[in-house]
Amino acid sequence: MAVVELCVKAAVGAPEILGDCPFCQRVLLTLEEKKVPYKMHLINLSDKPQWFLEVNPEGKVPLMKFDEKWIADSDVIVGIIEEKYPNPSLSPPPEVSSVGSKIFPSFVKFLKSKDPSDGSEQALLDELKALNEHLKAKGPYVAGENICAVDLSLAPKLYHLEVALGHFKGWTVPESLSYFHNYVKLLFSRESFQKTKAEKEYVIAGWEPKVNA
């Protein structure tokens, strides 16, 4: 099996350490769950190396090398990994493919919000409640017993939500959403997640400029 190469974000202020990009972690989780060997390049986004910009003029991460070709965009990358390494299958049943998809934008809006009456907190709660209801009916994972690509896309985003809202707003997901809490525990305790997550301080450092903009 050829080793795939992957460019991911390095930590803010610590270019030797894995950074906090949830889209990079999604790709790393996919490779780990499929046991695909990979070589990781940490990219300092505030000082991008020349070779990286030459193969990827837009300078975005994650970036992955397949068959001598560099591919950007985590959706595309995850699709190619699924195609090339079909076992174990992480392909979600079509009816769950958009579960939880509005949580991340709702989280970002609430995190950046300076106005408590703008409805952004309620909008996020509504999305989290919807996921909780889905998990109650179909769980423990989004598609049932087995983890799938939708879970691997959500896991890093839910980690960011927990860390950033806890730090910047002193906010936590209500205990009443017990299926959601169980789901997050399951995801965060997986070996693949422990191995690929950014340390909390780097998640906070990554959001700092956006929150204080």
Side-chain angles (χ1 to χ4, degrees):
M1 201 188 275
V3 175
V4 292
E5 290 186 51
L6 178 67
C7 296
V8 297
K9 179 183 175 183
V12 176
E16 303 304 309
I17 294 177
L18 176 64
D20 64 308
C21 166
F23 305 98
C24 293
Q25 192 188 1
R26 173 194 182 188
V27 174
L28 289 169
L29 284 168
T30 306
L31 293 169
E32 288 287 344
E33 290 287 342
K34 286 184 175 284
K35 306 269 187 279
V36 177
Y38 60 92
K39 181 183 176 194
M40 187 165 68
H41 301 284
L42 294 175
I43 304 295
N44 179 352
L45 294 185
S46 53
D47 183 16
K48 296 170 186 167
Q50 193 53 42
W51 69 266
F52 172 72
L53 290 169
E54 278 166 16
V55 296
N56 179 35
E58 282 194 4
K60 288 188 175 157
V61 289
L63 183 74
M64 192 156 192
K65 191 179 192 178
F66 289 106
D67 305 330
E68 300 309 305
K69 227 169 86 185
W70 289 96
I71 314 265
D73 189 304
S74 66
D75 286 336
V76 177
I77 293 171
V78 166
I80 294 175
I81 296 171
E82 189 61 47
E83 216 168 90
K84 284 187 175 296
Y85 307 98
N87 296 321
S89 170
L90 293 172
S91 197
E95 67 274 12
V96 303
S97 60
S98 65
V99 169
S101 62
K102 294 198 182 93
I103 290 175
F104 196 65
S106 305
F107 146 65
V108 175
K109 196 170 177 197
F110 175 45
L111 179 65
K112 291 179 170 179
S113 163
K114 306 270 193 280
D115 174 8
S117 62
D118 67 3
S120 60
E121 178 178 6
Q122 191 53 51
L124 175 59
L125 276 170
D126 291 345
E127 294 302 331
L128 294 171
K129 282 178 182 155
L131 176 58
N132 190 67
E133 286 305 306
H134 175 89
L135 293 166
K136 182 180 177 179
K138 302 269 195 275
Y141 293 106
V142 162
E145 285 304 313
N146 296 318
I147 202 161
C148 74
V150 176
D151 301 298
L152 300 183
S153 175
L154 276 173
K157 295 170 181 172
L158 298 176
Y159 177 61
H160 275 244
L161 180 152
E162 184 180 278
V163 173
L165 289 178
H167 178 81
F168 292 105
K169 288 200 185 278
W171 193 90
T172 51
V173 176
E175 283 305 317
S176 58
L177 302 183
S178 58
Y179 294 91
F180 171 86
H181 282 287
N182 179 55
Y183 176 60
V184 166
K185 271 200 196 86
L186 277 175
L187 292 175
F188 294 178
S189 63
R190 287 183 83 91
E191 190 187 342
S192 61
F193 192 89
Q194 289 296 325
K195 200 170 161 184
T196 60
K197 70 171 184 178
E199 291 306 318
K200 288 183 179 178
E201 64 192 278
Y202 299 121
V203 174
I204 292 163
W207 284 105
E208 196 102 50
K210 301 180 182 87
V211 174
N212 297 324

